[in-house]
Amino acid sequence: MHNKRNIILVGFMGTGKTTIGRALANQLKRDFVDMDCELEARVGKPIPLIFNEDGEPAFRRMERNLVVELSRRNNLVIAAGGGIVLDPDNIRDFNATGLVICLKAQPAEIIHRLASCHDRPLLEKGDKGERIRNLLVHRQPLYDAIPCQIDTTGKAPAEILACVLIKLNSKIQV
Ligand code: S3P
């Protein structure tokens, strides 16, 4: 945990990547990059508008380019977008640059956490709960393939942060 390899948080929307990533970066005195925020700042518009005006494939290309760029840096805590697992090259590159940690939560809790959010374009069409469950069915194997997992269900941010720090301490070469 004392070297400069990146720490990358992945996981479905609503699993706490941004909140925990920021707290972790503070704790470890590292720079924090939230990929969605970074892309919004670079493109100059919010994610829903990127999806609407440029389309999801264009967003995925932007994400991919950012992964390549971030993978060349070190000493970062990175909160990836929930769809980062869709391109195996992203996970390969992140694995090469640091430790990838997958945050997970029970679907019912994810649905509850995202109930009042309106900044997730993939959840805006149709019933939100159904969309979440459908996306999870397709993506679960991709998230499950990540060796380092932390279940956030029923846990407060401080508790999740503690779990992450324990995981990091258990990894000799992080
Ligand atoms: C997405 C997750 C979002 C954002 C975009 C697409 C996804 O990030 O990148 O709305 O495909 O799961 P968060 O997981 O940070 O909400």
Side-chain angles (χ1 to χ4, degrees):
M1 197 180 139
H2 299 293
N3 73 30
K4 294 187 181 326
R5 300 197 79 214
N6 293 323
I7 299 164
I8 304 107
L9 301 182
V10 305
F12 196 74
M13 295 173 261
T15 51
K17 301 177 296 287
T18 300
T19 308
I20 302 307
R22 188 176 289 117
L24 182 65
N26 265 336
Q27 176 99 16
L28 301 178
K29 301 199 176 10
R30 288 177 174 223
D31 286 339
F32 174 57
V33 180
D34 180 86
M35 289 189 63
D36 286 340
C37 290
E38 184 64 27
L39 289 175
E40 287 183 328
R42 289 183 185 198
V43 182
K45 52 190 174 191
I47 302 285
L49 221 56
I50 301 178
F51 268 71
N52 276 340
E53 293 181 355
D54 307 283
E56 183 174 348
F59 175 75
R60 298 300 175 200
R61 281 193 296 277
M62 293 173 202
E63 268 191 323
R64 173 73 197 128
N65 291 337
L66 186 55
V67 168
V68 171
E69 187 185 319
L70 294 175
S71 297
R72 294 195 189 109
R73 297 173 58 188
N74 58 37
N75 211 27
L76 298 173
V77 174
I78 300 166
I84 214 72
V85 292
L86 296 172
D87 183 343
D89 289 350
N90 289 336
I91 298 303
R92 182 205 57 207
D93 290 349
F94 274 156
N95 275 327
T97 191
L99 177 71
V100 179
I101 299 176
C102 184
L103 301 184
K104 60 181 179 181
Q106 291 292 318
E109 181 149 333
I110 290 176
I111 292 168
H112 179 71
R113 289 181 191 169
L114 296 176
S116 55
C117 286
H118 295 289
D119 56 356
R120 306 308 206 285
L122 293 180
L123 306 181
E124 286 311 299
K125 284 188 197 108
D127 178 73
K128 196 181 267 179
E130 205 176 302
R131 285 289 295 146
I132 290 171
R133 287 187 193 279
N134 282 339
L135 282 169
L136 273 172
V137 165
H138 288 107
R139 291 185 182 178
Q140 202 59 60
L142 303 174
Y143 295 123
D144 287 348
I146 291 156
C148 188
Q149 301 271 334
I150 292 178
D151 192 352
T152 69
T153 309
K155 294 192 180 100
E159 217 176 328
I160 302 166
L161 178 62
C163 292
V164 173
L165 290 168
I166 289 168
K167 275 271 192 235
L168 290 175
N169 279 320
S170 73
K171 309 270 165 188
I172 304 154
Q173 292 301 332
V174 178

